[in-house]
Amino acid sequence: MQPLAAKQFALQVVQRLREAGFESLWAGGCVRDMLLGREPNDYDVATAATPEQVREVFGRRRTLAIGAAFGVITVLGSKQQGQIEVATFRCDAEYSDGRRPDSVSFSTAEEDAQRRDFTINGLFYDPLAEQVIDYVAGQADLQAGVIRAIRDPFERIAEDKLRMLRAIRFAATFDFQLETQTRAAICQQAGALQVVSAERIAAEMQRMLVHPQRCRAMELLRDCQLLVEVLPEAKRFDEQPSTWSETRDVLGRLASPCFPVVFAALIRLLVKAGDGAAARTIGKRWKLSNDDLKLTAFLIAHVAEIRTADQVAWPQLQRILIHDNIQDLMALAEAVAGTCEDPPAGLERCREKLELPQQKLNPPLLLDGNDLRQLIQPGPVFKEILTAVRDAQLEGQLTSQSEALDYVRVLLSQHPEQGTQV
Ligand code: ATP
Ligand code: MG
């Protein structure tokens, strides 16, 4: 998607609906972002046309009706234009599950503003008249930097518990304040976050954690007792406050990390040192992808070794340094070391080794599994021998295949049960 094309397309969609006689406006996040001088992620259109009428205006082939039950039709543009969600003005009926309205009914723009979550998200914009339409005093809160629930905050949070995390994400990422009553409503209902699906919670957490304002987001989550809801292990931060101050410092030192690096930084002091499996268990609860689980477990398993790398045997360290994600591990280790004021020798050794040409850092094997299979049957000692040969090569004790074979003979003589087919 190309930002200018997307904006033009959003304008065209409003124009077409207007020409067909339906009131139509840009709505919600895109208006907020525009007024903040940020490029909107996407444009949403709100309209008086019913879903069926929206489909008639744009044609069935150019629309998708996946969200039609909630009054949402997706209008498809070109690859550059992307797609736009066109939602019929609506008001929501009761919320009995703490997450979604039981039904919706179509209504007016004003009522549609009233069902939205926060005042800064309740704005409309008429892109033809270039005019903001504000039924909820959202512009004043945008100016003042305030996240305020529309209408009664206790009721609005009770309706949909996901709004607690959204409030904190907006407050943190825009560097806004939580309005007092909105904050009180969140603190009061934090314990009910569990009704929200793990996927939705995880998606919000991921967005907060990769954002440069991640420390503020985590502080707000802690202040409102929400962090322990999404991460029960975080109780430790309360029991032992130094673990929190250290974690917060590490989070703040990460420049533009991928999610697993931030996640590992967050849970590092909540699992046993080096316990990759425990990290994986928490990651599974957060519904991480397999790749992210693997990387998180790797980071937790090895971050301590990197910091004390000057005391780690070279073959053991080498196997870590040649890992695909070593740069992520280094980024985490650097952030941790900076906070803990580690002696610099460990990280320096790693940096130095990582500068080595590939041939030196990771020399081709003198003997691989296929070579060894010519000599002995795969069995318990097979892997042990391969590892021993590789270790000796990395230590510089073996430099040719014939030396490696000699060494295998020596090793085999210590394992007479293997026979000597060599
Ligand atoms: P971003 O896209 O940056 O997450 P956004 O505000 O655009 O922020 P969306 O999830 O795209 O968030 O939702 C678009 C709009 O729909 C919001 O601006 C808000 O008006 C409304 N909205 C979204 N989620 C909720 C909710 N849980 N409760 C009430 N209104 C909501
Ligand atoms: Mg949005």
Side-chain angles (χ1 to χ4, degrees):
M1 205 179 61
Q2 200 265 329
L4 196 60
K7 188 171 183 179
Q8 286 295 329
F9 184 47
L11 182 65
Q12 277 171 31
V13 167
V14 166
Q15 238 158 359
R16 289 274 296 277
L17 286 163
R18 289 280 182 85
E19 282 160 14
F22 301 108
E23 184 188 2
S24 306
L25 300 163
W26 289 355
C30 64
V31 181
R32 175 201 67 212
D33 291 344
M34 213 176 57
L35 294 176
L36 285 173
R38 296 164 190 251
E39 193 74 61
N41 291 331
D42 45 29
Y43 291 82
D44 292 322
V45 168
T47 180
T50 63
E52 195 44 47
Q53 288 166 330
V54 173
R55 295 203 82 182
E56 271 165 31
V57 170
F58 295 98
R60 301 208 152 242
R61 282 183 36 241
R62 292 193 50 206
T63 52
L64 297 175
I66 308 161
F70 288 99
V72 181
I73 296 292
T74 305
V75 179
L76 305 170
S78 68
K79 206 168 174 177
Q80 269 109 31
Q81 290 169 327
Q83 52 190 45
I84 288 193
E85 298 208 325
V86 177
T88 305
F89 295 138
R90 65 179 216 234
C91 52
D92 297 333
E94 293 283 289
Y95 285 68
S96 51
D97 67 351
R99 177 64 197 101
R100 282 202 198 88
D102 300 338
S103 65
V104 301
S105 47
F106 300 140
S107 69
T108 60
E110 179 159 9
E111 283 195 318
D112 189 71
Q114 297 294 336
R115 63 135 187 120
R116 293 174 185 268
D117 48 6
F118 306 109
T119 58
I120 62 163
N121 290 346
L123 295 163
F124 295 112
Y125 182 73
D126 178 341
L128 303 176
E130 298 185 2
Q131 211 167 47
V132 178
I133 296 154
D134 183 358
Y135 295 109
V136 293
Q139 288 176 106
D141 284 340
L142 258 189
Q143 292 258 313
V146 171
I147 305 299
R148 181 196 312 271
I150 293 174
R151 299 184 281 125
D152 180 65
F154 292 87
E155 279 173 26
R156 302 311 308 286
I157 299 290
E159 278 173 4
D160 177 359
K161 310 298 189 297
L162 180 68
R163 290 174 187 155
M164 298 193 279
L165 294 184
R166 284 175 57 86
I168 287 182
R169 169 161 63 86
F170 293 127
T173 57
F174 297 146
D175 206 6
F176 278 20
Q177 299 300 317
L178 286 171
E179 178 273 325
T180 317
Q181 290 299 100
T182 304
R183 184 194 194 97
I186 296 173
C187 293
Q188 187 201 55
Q189 299 181 60
L193 185 71
Q194 303 308 327
V195 304
V196 179
S197 74
E199 286 79 3
R200 295 304 299 262
I201 294 177
E204 286 293 333
M205 292 305 295
Q206 296 214 18
R207 290 185 69 176
M208 286 188 241
L209 281 168
V210 295
H211 195 278
Q213 291 279 16
R214 66 186 76 89
C215 286
R216 173 124 201 280
M218 294 305 113
E219 291 280 19
L220 286 170
L221 287 176
R222 282 196 74 216
D223 291 350
C224 298
Q225 301 296 319
L226 279 166
L227 191 59
V228 287
E229 294 300 323
V230 298
L231 185 64
E233 289 82 356
K235 201 161 57 120
R236 172 122 199 252
F237 292 147
D238 298 327
E239 294 162 354
Q240 223 178 309
S242 65
T243 58
W244 171 243
S245 50
E246 184 179 327
T247 299
R248 189 194 47 213
D249 287 355
V250 173
L251 289 172
R253 278 168 191 269
L254 298 169
S256 48
C258 62
F259 175 71
V261 171
V262 199
F263 183 58
L266 178 66
I267 64 174
R268 185 180 63 95
L269 298 178
L270 305 178
V271 296
K272 263 203 351 258
D275 193 347
R280 190 176 268 274
T281 305
I282 300 178
K284 278 195 181 149
R285 279 203 326 258
W286 278 36
K287 308 288 174 193
L288 302 197
S289 67
N290 278 333
D291 284 352
D292 283 1
L293 280 176
K294 227 166 103 182
L295 178 49
T296 306
F298 166 74
L299 295 169
I300 293 291
H302 298 297
V303 62
E305 275 164 298
I306 295 291
R307 289 167 60 201
T308 55
D310 51 320
Q311 295 152 47
V312 176
W314 172 238
Q316 186 186 335
L317 183 61
Q318 188 267 356
R319 289 185 176 93
I320 302 171
L321 295 185
I322 60 169
H323 195 279
D324 283 347
N325 297 104
I326 181 62
Q327 293 310 333
D328 293 323
L329 182 59
M330 289 297 288
L332 178 61
E334 303 257 6
V336 175
T339 307
C340 305
E341 290 173 18
D342 285 353
L347 277 167
E348 256 165 32
R349 182 175 186 215
C350 294
R351 283 188 215 112
E352 222 168 80
K353 293 288 189 189
L354 286 168
E355 293 288 312
L356 287 173
Q358 192 63 13
Q359 186 75 16
K360 280 244 165 76
L361 177 63
N362 193 18
L365 297 173
L366 293 175
L367 201 72
D368 65 16
N370 283 332
D371 301 328
L372 194 59
R373 248 187 299 279
Q374 316 275 322
L375 307 177
I376 61 170
Q377 301 293 325
V381 285
F382 188 89
K383 192 159 176 254
E384 204 182 295
I385 289 180
L386 265 187
T387 307
V389 171
R390 182 63 170 166
D391 285 358
Q393 178 191 2
L394 291 169
E395 298 283 20
Q397 292 153 0
L398 304 175
T399 55
S400 68
Q401 191 176 48
S402 73
E403 282 175 13
L405 287 170
D406 288 344
Y407 187 48
V408 171
R409 285 188 195 96
V410 174
L411 292 170
L412 277 175
S413 67
Q414 294 161 8
H415 288 282
E417 74 281 5
Q418 282 296 313
T420 41
Q421 301 136 15
V422 190

